[in-house]
Amino acid sequence: MKFTDEGKTNALDALINNCRKVSIAAHIRPDGDAIGSTLAFRCYLEARGCDAVVIYSDKVPETLKFMRKGTPSDRIIEYPVSCGKALERIEESDLLVCMDCNSFRRTGDIMPALERSSARKVLIDHHLGPDSGSFDIVFSETAVSSACELLYRILMSMPDIGGDASRLPAVSASAMMTGMTTDTNNFSNSVFPSTLEMASD
């Protein structure tokens, strides 16, 4: 099953090529899927030469801190700890990506800064009711296990990856696999044929 629109993928590719600073946000109280998808995309963007950071409204839970391995500490900003740094980074960014939540409303305290930003905005999510009007590009699909699986499909469609999973940065592949397995509770729920295909790849 095809989850990505070639026009949207090409538009995202163009945005990445022309951006200077990217900030990636997820929902409050980030879980494995939110952390996995944001860290995976950050690593992919870095491999393409982008200055990319992840911003969370809450601290990463102790049980999921292992997912930060391989990501420089200055590339993850936790809002309660670094309020000024988070807001300054959002203001400086020319591309904002919101992952694993259907609107800015679920990003918590950083929501006002995200909403007023003049940067281009992209949504990548698998929940119902995406707030499409707030974003320039929307990747929304509910028939997937997780945001990580949807991101995986998007990345596989990117020109530089060309459908070859071996071209994905190792940290990205690991983060997406971890996020997908946590969102499916180790393949016990929300599993689709495409989910198993992703795991196999």
Side-chain angles (χ1 to χ4, degrees), residues 1-50:
M1 185 180 291
K2 187 174 182 181
F3 297 115
T4 56
D5 176 280
E6 186 176 356
K8 288 183 181 180
T9 303
N10 289 340
L12 176 60
D13 185 54
L15 283 183
I16 293 171
N17 284 335
N18 292 297
C19 70
R20 294 178 302 102
K21 292 187 177 182
V22 187
S23 291
I24 308 166
H27 58 72
I28 56 172
R29 295 182 292 278
D31 57 9
D33 190 30
I35 297 168
S37 59
T38 53
L39 294 183
F41 196 44
R42 195 213 70 82
C43 184
Y44 167 78
L45 292 171
E46 182 179 63
R48 288 188 55 169
C50 295

Side-chain angles (χ1 to χ4, degrees), residues 25-36 38 55-64 78-80 99-101 105-110 127 183:
H27 58 72
I28 56 172
R29 295 182 292 278
D31 57 9
D33 190 30
I35 297 168
T38 53
I55 302 174
Y56 300 123
S57 282
D58 300 292
K59 285 187 177 182
V60 172
E62 289 292 330
T63 54
L64 296 174
E78 294 171 318
Y79 180 83
M99 307 191 74
D100 198 29
C101 54
R105 290 189 300 277
R106 293 198 61 212
T107 60
D109 291 338
I110 60 174
H127 298 97
D183 237 32

